[in-house]
């Protein structure tokens, strides 16, 4: 490592974040706030999105990476920098390094999405694929730093990184002075810690609510223990917050300044991503949608006005397709069922006519006429339908039963 142990860092204060803001002037974008009528109605107070998915490189990560690399000495810059990441941090380090004229090497997992690998290369980094999980990739990057003298740029566990991410909090206060709650996703904790340092120093009354995926929720047990603990295997679609142990530096700040940490399920993440796309017209990755998932899961528990941070929008198109399908299913927009009908010419067309009247869109039909389970004059149909929601699902099933069909599932 090329920085002192966490305990030797000076305390992070508001002036550090303000200094980072000056450093980032003309480098990072002041991303917009966009209102959400749907969430505002659910919460009973104004809800706005802080759109870091529209930041350069598609996430907030450029902020911290640029501040960290800017602070390197000429000797350290000459040695180059190295990072390990599955996507957002990789792109942030690559672009920051290019802007500052520093050579960068980024280690990424073998299975990292091709668009993220391509983007990291296009920003100027040398990409090395190593390991199948981030821990293996991280170890390879640290070994490279040890062997070459390159400065390892940690994704969240350094004060300069946290100060850079904290500039998001200053922008929120400038753009929405009346804010009372800020909801932010938490992985290692750098973003939430930086926002908390900035916001609590100016507006201690503002509640900071962190959100973790239930399958990668290291902060609740760590906060209960009073120190960072590892949770072992982590499993979530939200790669951006898929971290098994809090960072030492951000943990202390979150422990002191963040009011609450909540968890959300995979179904809630899928539904939130679908809402961002359909209602807000925002392309958001699962980690970026985690604050929206928290708002959807318990809207009345938030004090408004609320700002929900959409931390990133770098989502692989294939993953997006799977997530949207999952989200539509979780929202009751798909209906799968089996039913029996008489095996005679025109029977299938007649059944489909019932679905047409019920305004259900047929996605797939499987028509079985020969099966030992069926009677001599019976056929079985398996249907996958697109509906308008849970109530419409009930109406469609009722329409089929009303037409005399035996609905099995």
């Amino acid at each position: 490592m090329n920085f002192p142990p966490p305990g030797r860092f000076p305390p992070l204060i508001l002036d550090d974040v303000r200094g980072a803001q000056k450093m980032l002037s003309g480098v990072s974008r002041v991303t917009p706030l966009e209102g959400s009528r749907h969430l505002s109605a659910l919460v009973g107070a104004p809800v706005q999105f802080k759109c870091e998915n529209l930041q350069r490189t598609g996430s907030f990560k450029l902020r911290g990476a640029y501040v960290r690399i800017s602070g390197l000495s000429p000797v350290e810059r000459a040695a180059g920098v190295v990072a390990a990441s599955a996507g957002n941090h990789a792109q942030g380090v690559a672009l920051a390094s290019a802007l500052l004229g520093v050579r960068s090497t980024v280690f990424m997992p073998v299975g990292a999405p091709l668009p993220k690998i391509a983007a990291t290369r296009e920003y100027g980094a040398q990409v090395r694929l190593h390991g199948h999980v981030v821990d293996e990739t991280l170890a390879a990057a640290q070994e490279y730093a040890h062997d070459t003298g390159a400065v390892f740029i940690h994704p969240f566990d350094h004060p300069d990184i946290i100060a850079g991410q904290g500039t998001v909090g200053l922008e929120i206060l400038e753009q929405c002075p009346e804010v009372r709650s800020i909801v932010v996703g938490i992985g290692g904790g750098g973003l939430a810690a930086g926002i908390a340092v900035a916001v609590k120093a100016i507006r201690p009354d503002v509640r900071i609510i962190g959100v973790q995926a239930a399958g990668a929720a290291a902060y609740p047990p760590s906060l209960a223990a009073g120190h960072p603990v590892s949770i072992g295997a982590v499993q979530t679609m939200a790669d951006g917050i898929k971290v098994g142990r809090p960072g030492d530096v951000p943990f202390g700040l979150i422990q002191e300044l963040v009011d609450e940490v909540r968890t959300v399920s995979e179904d809630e993440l899928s539904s939130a991503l679908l809402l961002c796309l359909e209602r807000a017209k925002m392309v958001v990755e699962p980690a970026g949608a985690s604050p929206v998932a928290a708002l959807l899961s318990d809207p009345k528990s938030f004090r408004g006005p609320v700002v929900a941070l959409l931390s990133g929008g770098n989502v692989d198109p294939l993953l997006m397709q799977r997530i949207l399908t999952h989200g539509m299913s979780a929202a009751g927009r798909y209906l799968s069922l089996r039913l029996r009908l008489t095996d005679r010419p025109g029977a299938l067309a007649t059944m489909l006519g019932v679905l047409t009247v019920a305004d259900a869109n047929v996605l797939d039909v499987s028509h079985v006429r020969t099966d030992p389970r069926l009677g001599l004059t019976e056929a079985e149909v398996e249907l996958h339908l697109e509906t308008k929601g849970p109530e419409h699902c009930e109406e469609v099933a009722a329409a089929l039963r009303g037409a005399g069909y035996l609905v099995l599932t």
Side-chain angles (χ1 to χ4, degrees):
M1 294 287 182
N2 292 274
F3 46 82
R8 292 172 54 191
F9 286 128
L12 195 69
I13 59 174
L14 176 62
D15 284 347
D16 298 315
V17 183
R18 284 182 167 153
Q21 188 177 43
K22 291 178 182 177
M23 194 178 297
L24 288 166
S25 178
V27 176
S28 64
R29 293 173 180 155
V30 177
T31 51
L33 288 188
E34 296 288 345
S36 171
R37 291 189 204 173
H38 181 73
L39 286 174
S40 296
L42 292 178
V43 172
V47 175
Q48 297 190 77
F49 296 142
K50 175 62 171 169
C51 301
E52 281 295 288
N53 58 314
L54 303 180
Q55 184 58 261
R56 297 180 71 178
T57 75
S59 88
F60 69 96
K61 289 288 190 177
L62 171 65
R63 297 173 183 263
Y66 189 89
V67 172
R68 172 77 174 104
I69 298 170
S70 292
L72 299 180
S73 69
V75 173
E76 290 173 320
R77 290 193 186 197
V81 299
V82 61
S85 168
N88 288 347
H89 181 58
Q91 294 173 66
V93 168
L95 179 56
S97 299
L99 293 172
L100 292 164
V102 177
R103 184 179 70 257
S104 63
T105 302
V106 176
F107 284 76
M108 302 182 77
V110 172
L114 293 178
K116 293 186 178 182
I117 295 172
T120 303
R121 285 183 173 138
E122 287 172 10
Y123 287 128
Q126 180 187 45
V127 174
R128 298 194 178 192
L129 302 179
H130 185 93
H132 295 277
V133 295
V134 174
D135 286 345
E136 295 173 353
T137 309
L138 181 63
Q142 291 172 327
E143 183 179 354
Y144 178 90
H146 180 269
D147 293 343
T148 66
V151 179
F152 180 72
I153 307 298
H154 199 284
F156 50 81
D157 210 7
H158 192 284
D160 289 348
I161 295 285
I162 297 170
Q165 322 303 31
T167 59
V168 178
L170 293 180
E171 290 179 14
I172 290 172
L173 292 183
E174 292 163 4
Q175 294 169 309
C176 184
E178 67 278 14
V179 64
R180 298 181 72 191
S181 299
I182 296 175
V183 193
V184 54
I186 296 182
L191 177 61
I195 289 174
V197 168
V199 171
K200 289 292 189 177
I202 300 170
R203 287 277 310 280
D205 60 302
V206 174
R207 284 182 58 80
I208 310 292
I209 298 102
V211 183
Q212 291 207 286
Y219 265 89
S222 297
L223 291 169
H227 59 83
V229 298
S230 298
I231 59 170
V234 292
Q235 190 62 246
T236 176
M237 70 176 78
D239 287 344
I241 53 175
K242 191 176 180 180
V243 179
R245 183 186 184 278
D248 292 307
V249 180
F251 175 80
L253 297 168
I254 287 174
Q255 185 180 39
E256 178 185 357
L257 299 172
V258 170
D259 295 280
E260 182 183 357
V261 176
R262 301 187 182 189
T263 61
V264 292
S265 69
E266 299 298 286
D267 281 352
E268 288 166 339
L269 285 169
S270 297
S271 297
L273 192 144
L274 183 62
L275 181 141
C276 288
L277 191 62
E278 283 193 325
R279 297 297 185 95
K281 308 301 181 279
M282 288 284 178
V283 176
V284 182
E285 62 191 88
S290 59
V292 180
L295 286 166
L296 287 173
S297 67
D298 192 6
K300 296 302 182 183
S301 66
F302 291 88
R303 188 175 61 187
V306 178
V307 173
L309 180 56
L310 307 182
S311 59
N314 293 319
V315 57
D316 179 65
L318 295 176
L319 176 62
M320 171 71 89
Q321 184 179 21
R322 294 198 300 271
I323 292 171
L324 290 178
T325 299
H326 186 79
M328 291 183 72
S329 179
R333 299 274 292 279
Y334 287 139
L335 174 63
S336 296
L337 47 81
R338 289 183 301 120
L339 52 90
R340 295 280 173 87
L341 64 159
T342 303
D343 186 16
R344 57 178 173 77
L348 180 59
T350 300
M351 183 271 297
L352 292 174
V354 175
L355 294 175
T356 299
V357 173
D359 202 20
N361 187 31
V362 179
L363 300 176
D364 187 52
V365 178
S366 176
H367 186 204
V368 179
R369 300 177 63 223
T370 56
D371 189 289
R373 296 177 295 108
L374 300 175
L376 186 62
T377 60
E378 286 184 321
E380 186 172 286
V381 175
E382 184 173 339
L383 294 167
H384 298 282
L385 310 172
E386 182 182 356
T387 70
K388 300 173 184 177
E391 290 183 3
H392 191 210
C393 287
E394 297 278 350
E395 293 170 5
V396 171
L400 288 168
R401 292 188 183 97
Y405 295 104
L406 175 62
V407 178
L408 302 176
T409 56

